[in-house]
Amino acid sequence: EDDFTEVNDETGEVEWNDYRPYLLVSSTSWTADEDFGILLRALEMFDKEVCRREEEAGDDGERFCGLVCVVTGKGPEKEMYERRIKRMTLKAVKIETRWLEAADYPILMGSADLGVCLHTSTSGVDLPMKVVDMFGCGVPVLAVGFEGLGELVVDGVNGRVFGDDKGLRDLLLELCNDEE
Protein backbone atom coordinates (compact mmCIF):
# COMPACT_ATOMS: atom_id res chain seq x y z
CA GLU A 1 0.00 0.00 0.00
CA ASP A 2 1.00 3.58 -0.65
CA ASP A 3 -0.62 6.93 -1.39
CA PHE A 4 -1.93 5.62 -4.71
CA THR A 5 -2.99 2.04 -3.97
CA GLU A 6 -4.49 -0.14 -1.26
CA VAL A 7 -5.03 -3.84 -0.76
CA ASN A 8 -8.64 -5.02 -1.06
CA ASP A 9 -9.35 -6.91 2.17
CA GLU A 10 -11.74 -9.33 0.45
CA THR A 11 -9.73 -10.21 -2.66
CA GLY A 12 -6.19 -9.40 -1.57
CA GLU A 13 -5.71 -7.52 -4.85
CA VAL A 14 -4.01 -4.14 -5.12
CA GLU A 15 -6.45 -1.44 -6.24
CA TRP A 16 -6.40 2.30 -6.76
CA ASN A 17 -7.07 4.18 -3.54
CA ASP A 18 -10.44 5.97 -3.84
CA TYR A 19 -8.84 9.20 -2.69
CA ARG A 20 -5.47 8.77 -4.31
CA PRO A 21 -3.60 12.00 -4.92
CA TYR A 22 -3.22 13.34 -8.41
CA LEU A 23 0.20 12.83 -9.95
CA LEU A 24 1.56 16.02 -11.45
CA VAL A 25 4.82 15.85 -13.41
CA SER A 26 7.03 18.66 -14.60
CA SER A 27 10.39 18.28 -16.27
CA THR A 28 12.99 21.01 -16.28
CA SER A 29 16.58 21.97 -16.91
CA TRP A 30 16.39 24.17 -13.78
CA THR A 31 17.35 27.39 -15.59
CA ALA A 32 16.06 30.96 -15.67
CA ASP A 33 13.86 30.01 -18.66
CA GLU A 34 11.55 28.28 -16.16
CA ASP A 35 10.35 30.07 -13.04
CA PHE A 36 9.64 27.21 -10.66
CA GLY A 37 8.57 29.76 -8.09
CA ILE A 38 5.28 29.89 -10.01
CA LEU A 39 4.71 26.17 -9.41
CA LEU A 40 5.80 26.27 -5.77
CA ARG A 41 3.56 29.25 -4.95
CA ALA A 42 0.64 27.60 -6.79
CA LEU A 43 1.17 24.37 -4.84
CA GLU A 44 1.24 26.28 -1.54
CA MET A 45 -2.03 28.03 -2.40
CA PHE A 46 -3.57 24.74 -3.62
CA ASP A 47 -2.54 23.05 -0.37
CA LYS A 48 -4.08 25.79 1.79
CA GLU A 49 -7.33 25.73 -0.17
CA VAL A 50 -7.67 21.92 -0.10
CA CYS A 51 -6.99 21.90 3.66
CA ARG A 52 -9.52 24.71 4.18
CA ARG A 53 -12.18 22.85 2.20
CA GLU A 54 -11.53 19.60 4.07
CA GLU A 55 -11.74 21.37 7.44
CA GLU A 56 -14.92 23.13 6.39
CA ALA A 57 -16.48 19.83 5.23
CA GLY A 58 -15.70 18.07 8.52
CA ASP A 59 -15.31 14.34 9.14
CA ASP A 60 -18.39 13.28 7.21
CA GLY A 61 -18.08 15.84 4.43
CA GLU A 62 -16.62 15.80 0.96
CA ARG A 63 -13.00 14.68 0.67
CA PHE A 64 -10.57 16.38 -1.64
CA CYS A 65 -7.69 14.68 -3.37
CA GLY A 66 -4.19 15.80 -2.62
CA LEU A 67 -1.39 16.06 -5.10
CA VAL A 68 2.04 14.50 -5.58
CA CYS A 69 4.31 16.64 -7.73
CA VAL A 70 7.38 15.04 -9.26
CA VAL A 71 9.87 17.40 -10.89
CA THR A 72 12.44 15.73 -13.11
CA GLY A 73 15.69 17.09 -14.47
CA LYS A 74 18.94 18.63 -13.39
CA GLY A 75 20.48 22.03 -13.80
CA PRO A 76 21.99 25.10 -12.13
CA GLU A 77 18.98 26.20 -10.04
CA LYS A 78 17.97 22.75 -8.77
CA GLU A 79 19.65 23.01 -5.35
CA MET A 80 18.18 26.46 -4.73
CA TYR A 81 14.65 25.18 -5.38
CA GLU A 82 15.24 22.00 -3.37
CA ARG A 83 16.18 24.13 -0.36
CA ARG A 84 13.03 26.15 -0.84
CA ILE A 85 10.91 22.97 -1.10
CA LYS A 86 12.39 21.65 2.17
CA ARG A 87 11.24 24.81 3.96
CA MET A 88 7.66 24.43 2.73
CA THR A 89 5.01 23.11 5.13
CA LEU A 90 2.42 21.25 3.08
CA LYS A 91 -0.29 18.81 4.13
CA ALA A 92 -2.18 17.88 0.96
CA VAL A 93 0.81 18.19 -1.40
CA LYS A 94 4.08 16.27 -1.65
CA ILE A 95 6.91 17.50 -3.86
CA GLU A 96 9.74 15.25 -5.05
CA THR A 97 12.67 16.11 -7.31
CA ARG A 98 14.25 13.29 -9.29
CA TRP A 99 16.75 12.69 -12.03
CA LEU A 100 15.40 9.87 -14.18
CA GLU A 101 17.15 7.53 -16.55
CA ALA A 102 15.97 7.88 -20.15
CA ALA A 103 13.91 4.67 -19.97
CA ASP A 104 12.09 5.81 -16.81
CA TYR A 105 11.03 9.25 -18.05
CA PRO A 106 8.25 8.08 -20.42
CA ILE A 107 6.95 5.66 -17.77
CA LEU A 108 6.60 8.46 -15.23
CA MET A 109 5.17 10.85 -17.80
CA GLY A 110 2.64 8.25 -18.96
CA SER A 111 1.56 7.67 -15.35
CA ALA A 112 0.85 11.35 -14.70
CA ASP A 113 -2.60 12.84 -14.32
CA LEU A 114 -1.33 16.30 -15.26
CA GLY A 115 1.81 17.81 -16.74
CA VAL A 116 3.02 21.33 -16.02
CA CYS A 117 5.29 23.25 -18.35
CA LEU A 118 6.91 26.38 -16.94
CA HIS A 119 9.14 27.05 -19.95
CA THR A 120 9.11 30.59 -21.24
CA SER A 121 11.16 31.31 -24.28
CA THR A 122 13.74 34.06 -23.94
CA SER A 123 13.57 34.47 -27.73
CA GLY A 124 9.79 34.09 -27.80
CA VAL A 125 9.98 31.54 -30.59
CA ASP A 126 11.40 28.27 -29.25
CA LEU A 127 8.78 25.75 -28.22
CA PRO A 128 9.01 23.46 -25.18
CA MET A 129 9.53 19.87 -26.31
CA LYS A 130 8.38 18.63 -22.87
CA VAL A 131 4.86 19.58 -24.00
CA VAL A 132 5.28 17.27 -26.98
CA ASP A 133 6.34 14.53 -24.52
CA MET A 134 3.14 15.15 -22.54
CA PHE A 135 1.00 15.09 -25.69
CA GLY A 136 2.67 11.84 -26.74
CA CYS A 137 1.78 10.22 -23.41
CA GLY A 138 -1.77 11.56 -23.41
CA VAL A 139 -1.13 13.71 -20.35
CA PRO A 140 -3.21 16.89 -19.98
CA VAL A 141 -0.93 19.92 -20.32
CA LEU A 142 -0.92 23.05 -18.18
CA ALA A 143 1.52 25.57 -19.64
CA VAL A 144 2.57 29.08 -18.70
CA GLY A 145 1.74 31.41 -21.55
CA PHE A 146 4.34 33.19 -23.63
CA GLU A 147 4.64 34.55 -27.14
CA GLY A 148 4.67 31.63 -29.55
CA LEU A 149 3.12 29.04 -27.21
CA GLY A 150 -0.12 29.17 -29.21
CA GLU A 151 1.65 27.29 -32.01
CA LEU A 152 1.78 24.30 -29.69
CA VAL A 153 -0.84 24.70 -26.94
CA VAL A 154 -4.28 26.16 -27.62
CA ASP A 155 -6.04 27.00 -24.36
CA GLY A 156 -9.09 24.83 -23.84
CA VAL A 157 -8.41 22.75 -26.96
CA ASN A 158 -5.29 20.65 -26.35
CA GLY A 159 -4.22 22.06 -23.00
CA ARG A 160 -4.72 24.88 -20.56
CA VAL A 161 -2.66 28.06 -20.39
CA PHE A 162 -2.06 30.11 -17.25
CA GLY A 163 -0.31 33.40 -16.64
CA ASP A 164 0.80 33.24 -13.04
CA ASP A 165 0.76 31.22 -9.82
CA LYS A 166 -2.88 32.07 -9.06
CA GLY A 167 -3.94 30.95 -12.52
CA LEU A 168 -2.11 27.66 -12.08
CA ARG A 169 -3.63 27.19 -8.61
CA ASP A 170 -7.11 27.76 -10.04
CA LEU A 171 -6.53 25.18 -12.78
CA LEU A 172 -5.21 22.65 -10.26
CA LEU A 173 -8.25 23.15 -8.03
CA GLU A 174 -10.56 22.79 -11.01
CA LEU A 175 -8.91 19.74 -12.53
CA CYS A 176 -7.79 17.83 -9.44
CA ASN A 177 -11.20 17.78 -7.82
CA ASP A 178 -13.38 17.38 -10.89
CA GLU A 179 -15.72 14.43 -10.31
CA GLU A 180 -15.93 13.53 -14.00
PDB file of all heavy atoms in Angstrom, residues 20 42 52 72 92 103 136 147 154 163:
ATOM      1  N   ARG A  20      -6.886   8.659  -3.973  1.00  0.00           N
ATOM      2  CA  ARG A  20      -5.471   8.774  -4.307  1.00  0.00           C
ATOM      3  C   ARG A  20      -5.164  10.197  -4.761  1.00  0.00           C
ATOM      4  O   ARG A  20      -6.009  10.861  -5.356  1.00  0.00           O
ATOM      5  CB  ARG A  20      -5.071   7.770  -5.380  1.00  0.00           C
ATOM      6  CG  ARG A  20      -5.539   8.113  -6.780  1.00  0.00           C
ATOM      7  CD  ARG A  20      -4.976   7.132  -7.804  1.00  0.00           C
ATOM      8  NE  ARG A  20      -5.347   7.506  -9.153  1.00  0.00           N
ATOM      9  CZ  ARG A  20      -4.672   8.373  -9.897  1.00  0.00           C
ATOM     10  NH1 ARG A  20      -3.604   8.972  -9.434  1.00  0.00           N
ATOM     11  NH2 ARG A  20      -5.071   8.657 -11.115  1.00  0.00           N
ATOM     12  N   ALA A  42       1.944  28.185  -6.448  1.00  0.00           N
ATOM     13  CA  ALA A  42       0.642  27.601  -6.793  1.00  0.00           C
ATOM     14  C   ALA A  42       0.353  26.379  -5.922  1.00  0.00           C
ATOM     15  O   ALA A  42      -0.782  26.199  -5.454  1.00  0.00           O
ATOM     16  CB  ALA A  42       0.607  27.219  -8.270  1.00  0.00           C
ATOM     17  N   ARG A  52      -8.387  23.898   3.729  1.00  0.00           N
ATOM     18  CA  ARG A  52      -9.517  24.711   4.178  1.00  0.00           C
ATOM     19  C   ARG A  52     -10.837  24.025   3.840  1.00  0.00           C
ATOM     20  O   ARG A  52     -11.734  23.920   4.668  1.00  0.00           O
ATOM     21  CB  ARG A  52      -9.473  26.101   3.545  1.00  0.00           C
ATOM     22  CG  ARG A  52     -10.573  27.037   4.056  1.00  0.00           C
ATOM     23  CD  ARG A  52     -10.759  28.258   3.176  1.00  0.00           C
ATOM     24  NE  ARG A  52     -11.261  27.944   1.854  1.00  0.00           N
ATOM     25  CZ  ARG A  52     -12.535  27.611   1.573  1.00  0.00           C
ATOM     26  NH1 ARG A  52     -13.436  27.536   2.528  1.00  0.00           N
ATOM     27  NH2 ARG A  52     -12.913  27.368   0.338  1.00  0.00           N
ATOM     28  N   THR A  72      11.285  16.449 -12.605  1.00  0.00           N
ATOM     29  CA  THR A  72      12.445  15.731 -13.108  1.00  0.00           C
ATOM     30  C   THR A  72      13.419  16.695 -13.759  1.00  0.00           C
ATOM     31  O   THR A  72      13.039  17.753 -14.238  1.00  0.00           O
ATOM     32  CB  THR A  72      12.031  14.669 -14.150  1.00  0.00           C
ATOM     33  OG1 THR A  72      11.573  15.329 -15.329  1.00  0.00           O
ATOM     34  CG2 THR A  72      10.948  13.764 -13.616  1.00  0.00           C
ATOM     35  N   ALA A  92      -1.470  18.595   2.023  1.00  0.00           N
ATOM     36  CA  ALA A  92      -2.177  17.880   0.958  1.00  0.00           C
ATOM     37  C   ALA A  92      -1.315  17.708  -0.290  1.00  0.00           C
ATOM     38  O   ALA A  92      -1.756  17.120  -1.271  1.00  0.00           O
ATOM     39  CB  ALA A  92      -3.466  18.612   0.598  1.00  0.00           C
ATOM     40  N   ALA A 103      14.979   5.667 -19.870  1.00  0.00           N
ATOM     41  CA  ALA A 103      13.909   4.669 -19.975  1.00  0.00           C
ATOM     42  C   ALA A 103      12.793   4.920 -18.965  1.00  0.00           C
ATOM     43  O   ALA A 103      11.646   4.519 -19.196  1.00  0.00           O
ATOM     44  CB  ALA A 103      14.483   3.267 -19.781  1.00  0.00           C
ATOM     45  N   GLY A 136       2.401  13.203 -26.307  1.00  0.00           N
ATOM     46  CA  GLY A 136       2.669  11.836 -26.745  1.00  0.00           C
ATOM     47  C   GLY A 136       2.226  10.785 -25.747  1.00  0.00           C
ATOM     48  O   GLY A 136       1.901   9.654 -26.116  1.00  0.00           O
ATOM     49  N   GLU A 147       4.759  34.334 -25.706  1.00  0.00           N
ATOM     50  CA  GLU A 147       4.645  34.546 -27.141  1.00  0.00           C
ATOM     51  C   GLU A 147       5.107  33.289 -27.875  1.00  0.00           C
ATOM     52  O   GLU A 147       6.168  32.747 -27.586  1.00  0.00           O
ATOM     53  CB  GLU A 147       5.514  35.740 -27.552  1.00  0.00           C
ATOM     54  CG  GLU A 147       5.423  36.075 -29.024  1.00  0.00           C
ATOM     55  CD  GLU A 147       6.362  37.210 -29.437  1.00  0.00           C
ATOM     56  OE1 GLU A 147       6.910  37.880 -28.544  1.00  0.00           O
ATOM     57  OE2 GLU A 147       6.548  37.383 -30.637  1.00  0.00           O
ATOM     58  N   VAL A 154      -3.136  25.274 -27.441  1.00  0.00           N
ATOM     59  CA  VAL A 154      -4.276  26.162 -27.617  1.00  0.00           C
ATOM     60  C   VAL A 154      -5.169  25.984 -26.393  1.00  0.00           C
ATOM     61  O   VAL A 154      -5.679  24.896 -26.147  1.00  0.00           O
ATOM     62  CB  VAL A 154      -5.042  25.834 -28.915  1.00  0.00           C
ATOM     63  CG1 VAL A 154      -6.248  26.745 -29.067  1.00  0.00           C
ATOM     64  CG2 VAL A 154      -4.115  25.955 -30.122  1.00  0.00           C
ATOM     65  N   GLY A 163      -1.227  32.276 -16.592  1.00  0.00           N
ATOM     66  CA  GLY A 163      -0.310  33.403 -16.643  1.00  0.00           C
ATOM     67  C   GLY A 163       0.548  33.576 -15.413  1.00  0.00           C
ATOM     68  O   GLY A 163       1.607  34.190 -15.474  1.00  0.00           O
TER      69      GLY A 163
END
